[in-house]
């Protein structure tokens, strides 16, 4: 699995249909052959319907296949003393995914409010599960199909609004909710059970505003970001009250971040200055047992928030003229 050669030739066919600039349909199918996984077919369909100039509706559905890379895809677990237990035969990931989105263009005086919403659902027929719940000193990586009755799926919904309030001044606000669950081992109950995926935020929000002066000499940008809480792996939840050099990996609540930048434009270059994480929120001692890097408890992978506080920067950008 770690030393492999993979060749996957394939053919693709697509059909497109358009009716009166209001309805468009794209249906496609791809047939592939892999020297590791054999023959597989990937169908997909996309539809777009715009009954009015101010409203657009889109939908999609299809299959998805992926050849997993157990180590490269999960490099975040490597800076720790935990052992990696890999399945003997890692199989191809397979999933059915569907989605729907809609966009409204709402006139407000001389301006236009763009409002969009989308929802996507992915149901895995097989996925590579990274189980950090079974053992504090190991990470088990195995196929979903290796566990009878195991499930894995993801819900994702997002809503976004943007508008130019005044000339050169725009606002954008977005909120995303995710529900990612998979079957992992519960050591306390000694059973496999469906639970939220570890270290995955349940929600994220952002509000950003940007203003550019009429002559485009100056630009001011401010962004506020809100990050939701995530679940810690079972062996680390009980460590949430620990402090000092040993580490405090347990997230207590959601956290905000504030960023700002000012840019001065010249004819062929620009100068900018800004700051990140102006709320100065940091995860306390994110490295577990940092005083003993060769010990069995050392772990620098349980990072759920910023590790650096307030930071300022300055930069210079030069535009090369094309001949």
């Amino acid at each position: 699995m770690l030393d492999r050669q993979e060749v996957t030739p394939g053919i693709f066919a697509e059909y497109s249909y358009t009716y009166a600039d209001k309805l468009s349909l794209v249906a496609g199918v791809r047939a592939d052959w892999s020297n590791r996984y054999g023959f597989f077919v990937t169908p997909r369909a996309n539809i777009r319907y715009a009954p009015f100039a101010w409203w657009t509706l889109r939908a999609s559905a299809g299959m998805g296949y992926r050849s997993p890379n157990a180590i490269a895809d999960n490099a975040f677990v490597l800076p720790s003393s935990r052992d990696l237990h890999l399945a003997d035969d890692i199989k191809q990931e397979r999933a059915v995914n569907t989605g729907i989105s809609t966009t409204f263009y709402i006139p407000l005086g001389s301006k236009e409010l763009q409002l969009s919403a989308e929802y996507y659902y992915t149901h895995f027929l097989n996925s590579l599960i990274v189980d950090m719940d079974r053992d504090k000193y190991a990470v088990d990586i195995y196929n979903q199909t290796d566990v009878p009755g195991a499930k894995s799926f993801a819900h994702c919904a997002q809503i976004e609004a943007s508008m130019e309030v005044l000339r050169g001044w725009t606002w954008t606000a977005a909120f995303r909710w995710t529900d990612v669950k998979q079957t992992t081992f519960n050591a306390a109950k000694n059973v496999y059970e469906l639970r939220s995926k570890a270290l995955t935020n349940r929600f994220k929000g952002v509000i950003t505003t940007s203003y550019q002066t009429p002559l485009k000499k100056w630009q001011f940008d401010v962004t506020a970001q809100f990050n939701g809480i995530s679940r810690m792996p079972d062996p680390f939840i009980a460590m949430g009250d620990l402090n000092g050099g040993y580490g405090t990996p347990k997230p207590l609540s959601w956290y905000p971040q504030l960023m700002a930048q000012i840019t001065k434009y010249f004819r062929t270059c620009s100068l900018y200055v800004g700051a990140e994480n102006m709320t100065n929120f940091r995860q306390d001692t994110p490295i577990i047992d940092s005083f003993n890097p060769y010990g069995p408890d050392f772990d620098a992978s349980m990072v759920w928030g910023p590790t650096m506080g307030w930071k300022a920067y300055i930069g210079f950008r030069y535009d090369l003229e094309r001949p």
Side-chain angles (χ1 to χ4, degrees), residues 116-177:
S116 62
E118 61 183 41
Y119 166 76
Y120 291 94
Y121 172 69
T122 301
H123 176 76
F124 287 93
L125 304 176
N126 180 59
S127 65
L128 190 65
I129 294 180
V130 182
D131 193 340
M132 297 181 287
D133 293 308
R134 176 190 288 270
D135 190 345
K136 174 184 175 182
Y137 301 105
V139 177
D140 291 348
I141 301 179
Y142 52 84
N143 302 295
Q144 173 187 328
T145 54
D146 292 342
V147 179
K151 298 180 181 179
S152 181
F153 60 81
H155 297 272
C156 182
Q158 177 173 309
I159 185 170
E160 179 179 336
S162 62
M163 181 179 178
E164 185 181 35
V165 181
L166 298 173
R167 181 183 176 186
W169 185 22
T170 60
W171 280 83
T172 299
F175 179 83
R176 184 178 66 213
W177 169 82

Side-chain angles (χ1 to χ4, degrees), residues 12 31 85 116 160 196 206 252 301 309 314:
F12 175 73
H85 298 162
S116 62
E160 179 179 336
S196 297
V206 64
L252 301 178
S301 65
I314 185 171

Side-chain angles (χ1 to χ4, degrees), residues 56-58 100-104 114-120 156-161 175:
T56 302
L57 182 66
R58 295 179 176 87
I100 186 171
S101 66
T102 183
T103 304
F104 297 91
Q114 182 174 326
L115 183 64
S116 62
E118 61 183 41
Y119 166 76
Y120 291 94
C156 182
Q158 177 173 309
I159 185 170
E160 179 179 336
F175 179 83

